[in-house]
């Protein structure tokens, strides 16, 4: 940014207040972004000359600037265009052009026409299997819907809304005022028609002119396979109907998935523990393992230890809206036998002798007391 505010405004140091105002008015019109196709360089220059004008038009700021330069006038941050205007042209327009730019399409233009209805939310509870494989479920809620009597117009049958005489159907009222830059046009939503551009002289009795009324509605929700707890589905245009024929908002369905008795979900995989007796883990076995798709034959090799993991490919959770599935992950837990009969204990002792493993003697004094203490 140039260091001389007088150069920015293209004036002499002995310029009068009228000279400063006229020069700024001319430069502001030349550099305004709307007059330069949104040129960022013009936008930056526009802010710079505005800061210079705000500094020099104030006698005290101008005096400090003439004596000490930019540092002397920096007190309120006027030398930084972003600091002075909050970093946006919207603040510049508000400060110098009112609610609307003199070049048209200002920042303060109000919304006209029917207003869109609000978005709604509902919670849908699913079983674990419904979330994995998908389902069709219904959700019910009370919501504003288009009035069937007046078909959303808000007017009694046989009549229709009329053009607002205040804004002539524009939905906003424009006013012209004078400023340092000449005539400025501001606009605001019409208070008579609330920005809709139409008024109703004979309201519908069923909806009282709103064009909508609250009713109980039921919608079918297609739950895709693979969704998880906390997922949200969006039903377009199933939210609240807008007043007087306005478009409906959306309905957001939040999914709550119940837990499974055996499986735990880990992304797209399903995990489960498989408890095996010591004999099957040691000697190997074929065991039946129940998945969500049905029974699988799981081959347990001899010598399987606790912590070994078996993976059943493609038996897990389907990928949402795409091909493929996760796996079923089975972690083995080898159970040590307890509460054995005398015959079972004798067989284990014979096994220990064969393997050369030392075990506690039968009903030895110390061992017997210790075992009794833990019964």
């Amino acid at each position: 940014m140039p260091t001389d505010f007088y150069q920015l405004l293209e004036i002499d140091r002995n310029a009068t207040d009228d000279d400063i105002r006229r020069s700024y008015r001319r430069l502001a019109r030349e550099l305004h972004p709307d007059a330069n196709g949104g040129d960022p360089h013009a936008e930056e220059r526009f802010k710079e000359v505005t800061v210079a004008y705000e500094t020099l038009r104030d006698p005290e700021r101008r005096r400090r600037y003439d004596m000490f330069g930019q540092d002397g006038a920096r007190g309120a941050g006027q030398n930084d265009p972003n600091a002075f205007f909050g970093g946006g042209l919207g603040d510049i327009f508000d400060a110098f052009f009112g609610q609307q730019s003199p070049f048209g399409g200002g920042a303060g233009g109000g919304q006209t026409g029917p207003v869109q209805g609000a978005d709604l939310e509902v919670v849908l509870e699913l079983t674990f299997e419904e979330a994995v494989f998908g389902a069709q479920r219904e959700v019910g809620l009370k919501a504003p819907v288009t009035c069937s009597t007046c078909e959303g117009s808000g007017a009694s049958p046989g009549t229709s809304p009329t053009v607002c005489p205040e804004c002539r159907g524009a939905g906003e009222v424009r006013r012209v005022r004078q400023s340092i830059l000449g005539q400025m046009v501001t606009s605001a939503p019409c208070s008579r028609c609330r920005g809709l551009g139409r008024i109703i002289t004979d309201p519908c009795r069923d909806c009282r002119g709103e064009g909508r009324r609250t009713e109980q509605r039921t919608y079918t929700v297609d739950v895709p396979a693979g969704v998880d707890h906390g997922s949200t589905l969006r039903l377009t245009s199933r939210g609240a109907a807008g007043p007087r024929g306005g478009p409906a908002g959306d309905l957001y369905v939040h999914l709550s998935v119940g837990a499974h008795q055996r499986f735990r979900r880990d992304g797209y995989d399903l995990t489960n523990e498989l408890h095996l007796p010591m004999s099957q883990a040691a000697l190997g076995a074929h065991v039946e393992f129940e998945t969500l798709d049905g029974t699988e034959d799981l081959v347990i090799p001899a010598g399987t230890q606790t912590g070994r993991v078996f993976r059943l490919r493609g038996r897990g959770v389907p990928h949402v809206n795409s091909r493929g599935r996760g796996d079923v992950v089975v972690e083995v837990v080898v159970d040590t036998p307890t509460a054995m009969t005398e015959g079972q204990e004798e067989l284990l002792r014979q096994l220990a002798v064969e393997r050369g493993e030392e075990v506690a003697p039968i009903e030895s004094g110390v061992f017997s007391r210790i075992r009794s203490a833990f019964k």
Side-chain angles (χ1 to χ4, degrees), residues 4-12 19 23 26-27 30 45 49:
D4 195 324
F5 286 171
Y6 291 96
Q7 291 181 9
L8 277 173
L9 293 175
E10 301 178 0
I11 56 176
D12 297 328
D19 294 335
S23 180
R26 173 180 57 82
L27 291 171
E30 292 176 359
R45 286 289 311 282
V49 298

Side-chain angles (χ1 to χ4, degrees), residues 104-149:
Q111 179 180 355
T112 63
V115 179
Q116 183 175 3
D119 294 334
L120 301 179
E121 297 176 296
V122 68
V123 176
L124 175 60
E125 295 184 355
L126 299 174
T127 65
F128 194 87
E129 289 82 356
E130 287 175 331
V132 171
F133 296 114
Q136 274 196 339
R137 293 286 305 277
E138 291 185 344
V139 294
L141 72 161
K142 284 188 175 181
V145 298
T146 301
C147 177
S148 57
T149 303

Side-chain angles (χ1 to χ4, degrees), residues 23 67 90 169 202 212 223 230 235 248 297 307 315 347:
S23 180
M67 293 180 62
D202 186 10
R212 58 180 183 172
V223 180
L235 275 62
D297 183 30
R315 294 294 185 268
L347 290 174

Side-chain angles (χ1 to χ4, degrees), residues 234-351:
R234 176 185 177 187
L235 275 62
T236 305
S237 300
R238 292 294 185 269
R244 298 190 190 178
D250 298 330
L251 175 61
Y252 290 89
V253 182
H254 304 296
L255 304 181
S256 175
V257 180
H260 194 268
Q261 190 174 11
R262 292 174 51 235
F263 289 107
R264 180 177 60 85
R265 180 166 174 172
D266 182 12
Y268 288 113
D269 292 338
L270 298 176
T271 62
N272 182 235
E273 287 185 346
L274 176 62
H275 288 260
L276 290 177
M278 183 183 67
S279 55
Q280 288 184 327
L283 301 175
H286 284 248
V287 298
E288 291 185 345
F289 184 83
E290 197 70 29
T291 70
L292 296 182
D293 295 277
T295 303
E296 296 283 341
D297 183 30
L298 192 61
V299 179
I300 306 298
T304 295
Q305 303 294 316
T306 291
R308 181 165 182 176
V309 172
F310 297 92
R311 188 175 288 269
L312 300 177
R313 302 286 181 183
R315 294 294 185 268
V317 181
H319 297 172
V320 179
N321 298 325
S322 64
R323 296 181 178 180
R325 294 179 62 174
D327 303 329
V328 169
V329 180
V330 183
E331 183 175 353
V332 171
V333 176
V334 179
D335 294 330
T336 302
T338 58
M340 294 180 294
T341 65
E342 290 185 3
Q344 293 170 343
E345 183 175 346
E346 179 61 28
L347 290 174
L348 276 181
R349 290 185 179 278
Q350 292 179 16
L351 175 63

